[in-house]
Amino acid sequence: MAVAGQALAGGLGIREQSASAQGASFAGSAAGGDLSSSFWNPAAIATADYGLLTESHTALISADFDVRAESISVLPGSVLGASTTEVNDRGEIDPLVLLASSYAAWRMNDDFVLGLAINSPFGSKNKVDNQTWSGQYHFRSSELLTVNTTLMASYRVAPGLSIGAGPQIQYLSLNIKANPSGGLAPTQGSSEIDGDDIGVGYTVGVLWQPSEWTSIGLGFRSAVSHEVEGEATASRGRLTTGTFLGTVAFAPVDFRAKLETPDILTFSVRQALSTTTRLLGTVEWTNWSVLDEVDFIAASAGGPAILPVSPGQTVNILEFNWNDGWFFALGGEWDYSKSLTLRAGAAYEVSPIREAGQRKINIADSNRVWLSAGATMALTAATSVDFAYTHIFFDDAPIDSLSSSPGTATTPVRRFVGTADQDADIVALSLKTRW
C-alpha cells in the first residue's frame, strides 16, 4: 500500500521510496543494489536472483513546519476594499506521516526479469493547527495523494548491459480547503475542492555493469497527465459580496482541471573501492516546470444565487510557475561483516521553488541538505532488514502569496507575506524476502 505523505523531495515529490537507499541519502539509488532501485530505474531488477523476491519499505516522517504571518493585504480594486493588516501570528503544520512502498521480481531466465512496484511518488498532507489564524483565507488544509503501480521488465542485451521498461498507472486525488469569507466570518466552514483521476505514463532505463566493481544506472520516469474531475462545495457559508464558495445559497459545482506530475531523470553510480567498501553517487533532474498553472473549470451550473456559475467558467486557479528541481547525493557502504552492511550519505537538493512569490503556505519548499545513516542486516539466508535515519535541514523560506475567491479566480484579491521555518526527521525500515 502507498499512503500520502508530507512532500519531502522538491515541490510535491516524495523521495522516501527505499529504506536502503535512504541510508545513503539516495546516493546510488538508480544503480541497483536491491529491488527498490527499480523505482528510479526499471533495468535495476536485472540484479534479481532466481525465484520470487519481495521487498516492503516503510518510512515514518516527522516534520516541524511553522509559518509566521507578517502582513495580510486585501488588494486595491478588490470588491472587498483595499486594506493591510500587520500581524505576527503563526500557523503550525506538524504532520506525522507513514509512507509505504512495495516491490516484487521474478527471474524468468538468465536474461529476462519481470517486476512490480507500488509507490506514492507525489503527495502532501497538511492541516494548520489554528483554523482561525490570519492565513486562513489562503490555506486551512490540503491533501494530495498518488498511488502509482508500475509493471516492468528487464532484458540483458549483452553481458553486463541490461535495459528495462514498463507502464505506470497512477491514481491521483486532490482536496483543498480554505476560508473564503474575506474576514467577515473567520469561524465559518471551509470552501472545498475535491477530485480525482487515473493517468498513465511509462518508465525506461539502462543498467551497465562493465565489471564486478562498477554499476552505472540511468532511469527515466515520464510525466503523467491527469484530468481531475470533482466537485466544489462550501459548508456553513455566509453571504459575502464578491465571493463564490462563501455564500449562503450555494449549489455544488462540478469541475475539471488538468494537472501533470513531472518527468524524473536519475543517474547513479555504485563503485567498489575494495571487496567490502563501495562509493555511491546520484544526480537527479525533475521537470517541475511542467506544473505551471492549474485551472479549475466548471463543468456544470451552480454556485450562489448572487454569483451563479456557468459551465466553462473558471472557479479557481492554482499558480505554481516552478523551476526544475535538482538533487545531488554522495554516500558510501561498508560490509562490516557477512551479515551487516553499514552506510551513510549526504545530499543537497535544489528546490523548484526559489522565490517568495512561488511559495504557498502549504508548499513552502526551499533548498535543503540531507544527512543520513543506515544499515542492512541479514536475518537468514532468505531474509534481511534495512534501517535508515535522515535529518533534513531547510533554508529559510519567505512567502509572498496571492489568492482569490474562487468566484473571481482571475482577479487576486488577497496577499499573504510571511516566512516558513521547517525541518524534518525520517526513520525507515524494510523487509526483504526470497521465497
Side-chain angles (χ1 to χ4, degrees):
M1 294 296 295
V3 182
Q6 169 75 12
L8 286 179
L12 292 165
I14 299 177
R15 192 173 301 282
E16 297 78 19
Q17 308 295 335
S18 167
S20 52
Q22 183 187 316
S25 290
F26 303 97
S29 58
D34 61 19
L35 298 187
S36 66
S37 181
S38 65
F39 174 80
W40 294 274
N41 178 8
I45 60 172
T47 60
D49 291 333
Y50 275 91
L52 174 64
L53 282 73
T54 61
E55 296 182 9
S56 298
H57 296 251
T58 303
L60 181 65
I61 304 169
S62 176
D64 184 6
F65 179 20
D66 296 340
V67 180
R68 180 170 60 86
E70 298 171 2
S71 69
I72 304 294
S73 303
V74 176
L75 302 183
S78 165
V79 295
L80 304 177
S83 67
T84 300
T85 302
E86 297 296 330
V87 296
N88 193 32
D89 65 345
R90 288 180 177 268
E92 294 185 0
I93 307 171
D94 299 329
L96 185 66
V97 178
L98 190 66
L99 175 74
S101 56
S102 296
Y103 305 89
W106 176 265
R107 178 171 287 280
M108 305 292 292
N109 53 47
D110 289 346
D111 299 323
F112 193 63
V113 182
L114 296 176
L116 169 70
I118 302 175
N119 306 86
S120 181
F122 306 98
S124 180
K125 186 175 183 179
N126 297 315
K127 183 177 181 180
V128 70
D129 63 333
N130 179 7
Q131 295 287 286
T132 60
W133 77 304
S134 57
Q136 65 176 303
Y137 312 115
H138 292 250
F139 169 72
R140 274 184 164 174
S141 69
S142 65
E143 181 174 354
L144 172 69
L145 166 70
T146 59
V147 178
N148 186 298
T149 300
T150 304
L151 303 171
M152 66 194 86
S154 73
Y155 182 74
R156 186 177 65 174
V157 296
L161 181 63
S162 298
I163 58 174
Q168 301 181 59
I169 303 170
Q170 182 167 279
Y171 170 78
L172 179 147
S173 69
L174 176 67
N175 181 279
I176 303 171
K177 293 181 181 179
N179 175 5
S181 70
L184 299 183
T187 59
Q188 76 162 42
S190 296
S191 64
E192 182 174 2
I193 289 177
D194 188 85
D196 60 6
D197 181 60
I198 295 177
V200 178
Y202 65 91
T203 180
V204 296
V206 58
L207 184 70
W208 182 37
Q209 297 173 297
S211 71
E212 62 178 350
W213 295 79
T214 305
S215 182
I216 302 171
L218 179 66
F220 177 75
R221 295 179 66 89
S222 76
V224 178
S225 296
H226 291 275
E227 183 162 329
V228 180
E229 296 184 356
E231 189 176 71
T233 59
S235 61
R236 295 196 297 116
R238 177 185 178 93
L239 182 62
T240 304
T241 303
T243 67
F244 169 48
L245 296 182
T247 56
V248 173
F250 179 84
V253 176
D254 295 332
F255 70 82
R256 294 188 179 91
K258 293 184 178 180
L259 186 155
E260 189 171 11
T261 58
D263 313 275
I264 302 174
L265 181 67
T266 308
F267 175 77
S268 296
V269 176
R270 296 172 60 88
Q271 177 63 53
L273 304 179
S274 70
T275 56
T276 60
T277 308
R278 292 166 292 281
L279 183 66
L280 315 174
T282 286
V283 177
E284 184 174 279
W285 166 80
T286 305
N287 186 23
W288 278 114
S289 57
V290 301
L291 191 62
D292 184 17
E293 178 180 287
V294 180
D295 298 327
F296 295 81
I297 308 299
S300 67
I306 191 172
L307 284 175
V309 176
S310 302
Q313 181 177 342
T314 301
V315 298
N316 206 349
I317 296 174
L318 292 180
E319 293 187 4
F320 294 93
N321 301 313
W322 289 352
N323 304 101
D324 293 341
W326 288 91
F327 182 81
F328 307 91
L330 185 66
E333 289 183 341
W334 175 47
D335 297 330
Y336 176 80
S337 66
K338 291 183 178 180
S339 60
L340 180 62
T341 296
L342 305 177
R343 59 180 60 89
Y348 183 72
E349 185 160 13
V350 180
S351 170
I353 304 175
R354 299 171 196 170
E355 300 176 2
Q358 295 175 314
R359 290 190 179 91
K360 302 182 185 301
I361 294 172
N362 59 320
I363 316 175
D365 197 39
S366 62
N367 296 347
R368 69 202 68 181
V369 173
W370 299 64
L371 293 180
S372 305
T376 298
M377 177 176 289
L379 302 180
T380 68
T383 306
S384 64
V385 294
D386 295 298
F387 169 80
Y389 168 75
T390 297
H391 184 78
I392 304 179
F393 302 85
F394 291 81
D395 287 353
D396 291 339
I399 303 171
D400 189 348
S401 177
L402 297 177
S403 73
S404 62
S405 296
T408 57
T410 58
T411 306
V413 297
R414 300 188 189 92
R415 179 184 181 186
F416 175 95
V417 176
T419 304
D421 297 318
Q422 50 197 327
D423 58 43
D425 295 283
I426 309 169
V427 176
L429 296 170
S430 77
L431 175 65
K432 304 174 184 176
T433 306
R434 181 187 296 112
W435 301 91

